[in-house]
């Protein structure tokens, strides 16, 4: 379900932050954070970020990504994750999403 996907995504973001791939920027005013607990997501290594998202979705460890919208195949594996990020108020800057394939 959606809550499980959010939790799995947050776990991945924390791991990538620990590896230096990204930084989750906080604000002192908690009301200005997204529901994942940060204000801004600074991706320092877009290729590694994109690859980690792609691998997580394609591995579909708990069966929460593939088929979540009734589709058996996902043409763009990073799509569901970027959609979640958009829904919680995190929008990528133009031309920063990493490789298309």
């Amino acid at each position: 379900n959606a809550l499980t996907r959010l939790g799995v995504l947050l776990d991945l973001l924390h791991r990538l932050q620990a590896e230096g791939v990204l930084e989750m920027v906080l604000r002192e005013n908690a009301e200005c954070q997204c529901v994942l607990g940060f204000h801004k997501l600074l991706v320092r290594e877009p290729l590694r970020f994109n690859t980690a998202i792609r691998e997580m979705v394609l591995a579909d460890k708990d069966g929460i990504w593939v088929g979540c919208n009734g589709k058996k195949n996902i043409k763009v594996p990073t799509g569901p994750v970027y959609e979640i990020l958009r829904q919680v108020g995190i929008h990528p800057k133009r031309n920063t999403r990493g490789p298309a394939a």
Side-chain angles (χ1 to χ4, degrees):
N1 68 25
L3 186 57
T4 304
R5 286 191 295 275
L6 276 173
V8 169
L9 174 57
L10 188 56
D11 289 344
L12 176 67
L13 294 177
H14 281 291
R15 183 181 59 113
L16 293 174
Q17 180 169 257
E19 295 173 7
V21 174
L22 59 85
E23 179 184 353
M24 292 181 275
V25 179
L26 307 178
R27 271 209 171 150
E28 288 185 27
N29 182 354
E31 293 177 10
C32 294
Q33 319 270 52
C34 77
V35 298
L36 295 175
F38 56 87
H39 167 70
K40 190 183 292 187
L41 189 65
L42 298 176
V43 178
R44 307 227 182 272
E45 297 184 47
L47 181 59
R48 281 185 62 194
F49 177 71
N50 190 277
T51 299
I53 290 173
R54 179 181 304 275
E55 288 173 353
M56 174 188 67
V57 171
L58 291 175
D60 200 22
K61 180 181 165 195
D62 298 315
I64 59 172
W65 298 104
V66 178
C68 67
N69 294 327
K71 297 179 181 179
K72 299 294 181 200
N73 282 336
I74 299 178
K75 287 184 179 181
V76 182
T78 56
V81 173
Y82 283 108
E83 181 59 29
I84 288 173
L85 291 174
R86 275 191 294 279
Q87 290 172 355
V88 299
I90 303 298
H91 302 276
K93 288 186 178 180
R94 192 175 300 276
N95 299 320
T96 61
R97 277 189 58 163

